Amino acid sequence: MVCLAFIRAACAHTYLVRKVSHVCRCHQHRAWGSRPATSQFAAQGAPSGVVELLGKSYPQDDYSNLTPKVLSKVGRNLHNQQFHPLWLIKERVKEHFYQQYMRRSRTPLFSVYDQLPPVVTTWQNFDSLLIPADHPSRKRGDNYYLNREHMLRAHTSAHQWDLLHAGLNAFLVVGDVYRRDQIDSQHYPVFHQLEGVRLFSKHELFAGVKDGESLELFEESSRSAHKQETHTMEAVKLVEFDLKQVLTRLMTHLFGDGLEVRWVDCYFPFTHPSFEMEINFHGEWLEVLGCGVMEQQLVNSAGAHDRIGWAFGLGLERLAMILYDIPDIRLFWSKEERFLKQFRLSDINQRVKFQPLSKYPAVFNDISFWLPSENYTENDFYDMVRTVGGDLVEKVDLIDKFEHPKTHRTSHCYRITYRHMERTLSQKEVRSVHQAVQEAAVQLLGVEGRF
C-alpha cells in the first residue's frame, strides 16, 4: 500500500520532497484547492509510526494506508461552511425535515448530527452494519485505514448503531466520507453523505390503519424478496410506503413539482428490501440515493427490539452537481472567489445554475510501467498521483494493458489529464509534475518504468 511504501522508502522521501518542492516553486501557484506537494509529503506519518489526527494519536501498522493528500482534507468540513454549495444542499434537506415532520409538541421529529468526527472503528464502519468479514467493501484497497482498528469512515452509516443505541428514533447524519477510487470528474477520495433513519413503534406505524390494533410488527416466518423473516408483510409495506413517500417529497422539494421518480430493487447488507431511487431530470434517469427497510438484527442489537425502521443515504456532491450544474467534483474544494460567490444566496431555496469559470485547456501525458510481482492495486497508483499532482490532475485513464508472452509480466499504460481550474498550464510545468509522478511510481510502488 502507498502508506507502507512511504515507510519502506524513507530514503526516497527526501529526494521526492525536494523534487516536488522544486516543481511547486516553478509553478508559483498552489495546485488548485490543495496544499503544496511539499507539505503533503511532510504530512505523512512520522518516523515513530504514529499518525496525529484531530488531536489524537493512532499507531500505524500493516493496514495503515492514509496519504498526505487525504489527511490534508480532514477537518475541512465543507458541509458546514456557510454558503458552500454542499452546505446549501444540507440546509435545504434539514429545513425540509424540520418543517414537514414535527412531534406533537411542535418540535422537529428529526435531530441532525453534522459534526461527528470522521475517525471510526472498523466495527462501527462494518460489523455494526452486518457487513460480512469477507465482503469486498472492507478491502484495504478501497478504504483509508489508520490501522487495523481505526479508519476514516466510508459512509455516514458508521454512526447508525451508536445513535440508535443512544435511544434516538429519527435522525439525520451529515459528514465527510473517504474512499479510494478512480480519478475523474465524478470521483474524489473525499465526499459528503447525508444519512436518514426513522424507527416506528407498533402504535406509531399502525395508528392510522383501520383495525390497526390487531396488527403486529413481527412474526416468525421465512425471508423472501419482499420482507425479512421477522417482519409481518403489513409492517414492511407500511414502512416501505412511508420511506418512499418521505423521499419523494424530499426530491420534489429539491427539484420541483412534477418530478418523475422510479425505484430499482438493489442489495445493501444493512437493509432488506433495498431500493435505489432514480429521478428523471432533463430527460435522463439519474440515481440519487439508496434506501431500504433496516435489518432487524441491526435494530435489535442496538437495543430497539420493539421497533421497525427505514434508512436512506445520499451523496451531497451528487445532488449539488445535478441541481447546480457543477461539472467537476474538484470545484467543491476550490477557494476561488469566482466559484464561491455564485452560491451566496439570500434564500437557500433560490434557484442557481453554476456559471463556468473559463475552462482552460488540458495537457495530456502518458505513463507506462511494468507492474511489480505482488502488492499492486490501481487505487495505490491513483492515490500516489493525487498526492504528487494534487488537483492539477483532472482524470486518469488506464488506456492499455499488455502481458509479455514470454515473461508473463504485465504492463499498464495510463493517460493523465492535467488541467488547472484558474489558468493555463504549460507543457513545461506539467512535464515537471509528470516526472515527479514517474519517479514516485518507481520509488514508492515498486514498478519498473517504461519511460
Side-chain angles (χ1 to χ4, degrees):
M1 312 310 290
V2 171
C3 188
L4 293 179
F6 269 98
I7 297 172
R8 290 196 301 266
C11 295
H13 278 193
T14 304
Y15 177 77
L16 287 172
V17 169
R18 287 173 181 165
K19 180 67 181 178
V20 178
S21 177
H22 170 72
V23 168
C24 290
R25 284 196 299 270
C26 290
H27 287 177
Q28 297 179 344
H29 286 267
R30 285 189 177 184
W32 173 87
S34 69
R35 295 181 183 178
T38 47
S39 65
Q40 287 181 335
F41 277 94
Q44 186 60 38
S48 61
V50 173
V51 174
E52 301 286 344
L53 190 59
L54 301 177
K56 294 185 178 181
S57 300
Y58 300 91
Q60 293 180 306
D61 59 23
D62 62 328
Y63 245 61
S64 305
N65 65 351
L66 269 178
T67 65
K69 172 74 173 178
V70 169
L71 282 172
S72 73
K73 303 298 184 185
V74 177
R76 285 283 300 274
N77 297 326
L78 300 183
H79 61 289
N80 289 332
Q81 294 183 16
Q82 191 173 23
F83 300 121
H84 190 280
L86 300 183
W87 177 87
L88 289 175
I89 299 291
K90 181 196 76 170
E91 290 299 308
R92 292 186 66 188
V93 173
K94 188 169 74 172
E95 177 189 71
H96 173 77
F97 274 87
Y98 279 176
Q99 293 179 351
Q100 292 292 317
Y101 308 101
M102 306 287 287
R103 303 179 190 275
R104 289 183 179 179
S105 61
R106 304 308 298 166
T107 58
L109 174 64
F110 286 82
S111 51
V112 178
Y113 299 86
D114 59 8
Q115 298 189 53
L116 298 175
V119 178
V120 298
T121 64
T122 53
W123 186 90
Q124 288 173 301
N125 199 80
F126 299 118
D127 300 273
S128 73
L129 297 167
L130 311 179
I131 298 174
D134 59 351
H135 196 274
S137 66
R138 291 177 178 254
K139 287 194 304 184
R140 190 170 51 166
D142 292 339
N143 299 285
Y144 288 105
Y145 286 91
L146 283 81
N147 51 43
R148 283 185 172 269
E149 296 181 355
H150 295 89
M151 63 186 296
L152 294 179
R153 62 188 168 212
H155 42 206
T156 47
S157 305
H159 302 287
Q160 202 175 97
W161 189 94
D162 293 313
L163 294 173
L164 291 173
H165 190 63
L168 297 175
N169 294 319
F171 54 84
L172 304 177
V173 179
V174 193
D176 45 336
V177 298
Y178 300 78
R179 295 182 193 168
R180 306 179 83 206
D181 213 332
Q182 63 199 81
I183 301 178
D184 59 33
S185 63
Q186 304 291 318
H187 295 87
Y188 203 77
V190 192
F191 57 105
H192 299 75
Q193 282 188 341
L194 186 147
E195 176 106 357
V197 169
R198 172 82 194 274
L199 296 186
F200 300 88
S201 66
K202 175 182 174 180
H203 172 73
E204 289 170 330
L205 189 62
F206 297 131
V209 178
K210 184 180 179 180
D211 299 325
E213 63 275 4
S214 66
L215 300 176
E216 298 293 337
L217 296 178
F218 307 111
E219 66 178 10
E220 293 185 12
S221 61
S222 58
R223 178 173 289 238
S224 70
H226 306 291
K227 64 182 268 324
Q228 298 171 38
E229 59 274 20
T230 56
H231 294 158
T232 64
M233 185 62 75
E234 295 86 358
V236 169
K237 288 304 178 184
L238 282 172
V239 171
E240 181 182 324
F241 176 80
D242 185 81
L243 169 63
K244 291 180 177 179
Q245 187 177 58
V246 166
L247 294 176
T248 299
R249 286 174 178 168
L250 173 61
M251 290 300 140
T252 299
H253 170 68
L254 294 175
F255 289 91
D257 294 333
L259 186 69
E260 190 177 358
V261 168
R262 70 184 183 189
W263 303 92
V264 179
D265 293 339
C266 66
Y267 167 78
F268 300 112
F270 33 85
T271 56
H272 181 76
S274 303
F275 314 96
E276 287 181 342
M277 183 184 193
E278 296 183 352
I279 63 171
N280 192 328
F281 190 68
H282 296 329
E284 182 180 0
W285 284 102
L286 303 172
E287 183 264 315
V288 291
L289 59 82
C291 62
V293 178
M294 296 179 68
E295 283 284 354
Q296 196 60 38
Q297 182 183 342
L298 189 165
V299 177
N300 290 348
S301 70
H305 303 81
D306 60 342
R307 295 178 182 269
I308 185 174
W310 52 246
F312 74 87
L314 57 83
L316 295 183
E317 280 88 348
R318 174 72 168 161
L319 287 182
M321 293 177 82
I322 298 171
L323 273 169
Y324 303 138
D325 202 21
I326 297 173
D328 194 314
I329 197 169
R330 293 177 300 163
L331 280 164
F332 292 109
W333 296 91
S334 175
K335 297 179 181 178
E336 167 63 49
E337 180 65 16
R338 291 179 298 165
F339 172 74
L340 296 173
K341 71 179 181 181
Q342 297 186 39
F343 302 97
R344 295 196 183 105
L345 309 176
S346 57
D347 179 359
I348 60 172
N349 293 305
Q350 179 180 333
R351 300 291 179 185
V352 60
K353 185 176 288 266
F354 170 63
Q355 299 301 312
L357 312 178
S358 298
K359 187 160 186 177
Y360 296 96
V363 179
F364 304 95
N365 277 253
D366 294 349
I367 177 173
S368 60
F369 46 77
W370 296 106
L371 304 189
S373 57
E374 58 183 11
N375 297 328
Y376 174 86
T377 70
E378 286 189 38
N379 283 341
D380 288 343
F381 177 69
Y382 296 145
D383 268 353
M384 183 276 295
V385 172
R386 285 193 191 277
T387 298
V388 176
D391 286 338
L392 292 181
V393 179
E394 178 178 271
K395 188 178 182 182
V396 177
D397 291 309
L398 177 62
I399 60 174
D400 186 53
K401 282 185 178 181
F402 169 72
E403 181 175 325
H404 195 284
K406 293 184 177 179
T407 65
H408 299 293
R409 297 181 69 191
T410 300
S411 171
H412 281 186
C413 181
Y414 296 88
R415 176 156 296 156
I416 303 179
T417 303
Y418 297 91
R419 191 197 309 268
H420 204 293
M421 304 298 286
E422 300 167 15
R423 64 184 179 87
T424 298
L425 290 172
S426 69
Q427 180 62 257
K428 180 179 180 181
E429 59 185 328
V430 169
R431 191 178 301 118
S432 297
V433 178
H434 194 70
Q435 185 178 346
V437 168
Q438 292 174 328
E439 293 169 357
V442 173
Q443 295 289 340
L444 305 180
L445 301 182
V447 305
E448 182 182 332
R450 302 181 68 190
F451 35 81

